[in-house]
Amino acid sequence: PADPPPDWLRAIPADAPIALVTLGTTFTGDLGFFSWAAQAAARAGFVPLVVVGWNPIEPEEKGKLIAALPTGTRLLNFVPFDHVLPRTKLMIHHGGMGTTHAALIHAIPQIVVPHAADQRGQARRVAQAKVGLNLTAHDVKQGMLLEGVRAIASDDKVRQTARDLAAEMAALGGAARAAEAVETIVTTSA
C-alpha cells in the first residue's frame, strides 16, 4: 500500500496473529456471530478484528456487542484489506464472493458461516478446496466455532493448501489477464 497503515493496526504487535471476523459491508444483523467468533478467536490466541460494516447498529445493541467481545478485540466498521490481510492468519466470515476471494488470494485459512444467497456455495467450495471449514449457524450455536478455529489454527496442511491455491491464482495473471481475456472476446466477436 502507498498509504501508511492505520494507527490501530500499528498498535497490534507485528507477531500477534490476527483473526478477521466479518459479515461483509452490508449485513450486520447477526451480532451474536461477531461475539462468538471473536471469543473463539481470542481463546485460540488470535487478536480478533471484528468488522461490522456501515449499517447502523442501535446504541443499545452495540453496547451489548462491545460487552460480549473479549479484551483486545478491535471493533471496526471497515478495514483496509491492503494493510490488514497480509497480517491476517484466519478469517471467519459469511462467504461473500469478495471476502472469500480476498482470503484466497492472501492464502488465509478461513471458516465460512454462510447466511444467505450464494454464500452457501462459497462455503462449500472453501471446504472442497481444503482451505477452510464450512460451518452452519447451528454449528456455531452448538459451540463448534472454537473447535473449528483450533483445528484450522493448528493444521499445517490447510495453511499450505491455502498458500498453494493463492500461488496458483496469482499465476493466472489477475485483473490484467482477465482484462486481456475480455478484450479478446469483445474484439473477436465484433
Side-chain angles (χ1 to χ4, degrees):
D3 61 328
D7 291 340
W8 60 263
L9 183 58
R10 281 194 301 240
I12 299 172
D15 61 343
I18 292 174
L20 178 62
V21 177
T22 186
L23 291 175
T25 55
T26 59
F27 181 77
T28 57
D30 189 355
L31 298 182
F33 169 83
F34 294 121
S35 61
W36 292 327
Q39 289 289 345
R43 289 179 65 190
F46 291 90
V47 174
L49 299 183
V50 174
V51 184
V52 296
W54 294 108
N55 283 341
I57 299 173
E58 294 296 324
E60 180 181 315
E61 292 300 312
K62 189 171 185 177
K64 288 178 186 176
L65 175 59
I66 291 169
L69 296 174
T71 303
T73 299
R74 285 11 179 237
L75 179 61
L76 306 154
N77 291 102
F78 169 82
V79 295
F81 273 5
D82 288 348
H83 288 291
V84 172
L85 295 188
R87 293 191 52 192
T88 300
K89 302 299 180 205
L90 174 67
M91 284 180 73
I92 305 170
H93 64 93
H94 61 305
M97 182 74 71
T99 304
T100 303
H101 182 255
L104 289 173
I105 64 173
H106 285 86
I108 301 168
Q110 42 193 310
I111 296 176
V112 184
V113 183
H115 283 65
D118 67 328
Q119 297 168 4
R120 287 175 183 81
Q122 300 301 334
R124 280 192 306 273
R125 286 186 276 286
V126 163
Q128 288 168 345
K130 298 184 181 357
V131 295
L133 297 175
N134 172 10
L135 296 181
T136 66
H138 178 75
D139 295 334
V140 171
K141 289 177 184 172
Q142 297 303 310
M144 294 180 67
L145 195 50
L146 178 58
E147 290 177 38
V149 169
R150 286 182 174 154
I152 292 292
S154 64
D155 194 327
D156 292 333
K157 186 161 178 72
V158 169
R159 285 193 299 275
Q160 184 59 52
T161 302
R163 285 190 296 269
D164 292 346
L165 184 55
E168 182 179 333
M169 291 179 78
L172 294 173
R177 180 64 189 111
E180 290 172 13
V182 169
E183 286 178 0
T184 300
I185 291 169
V186 170
T187 305
T188 57
S189 61

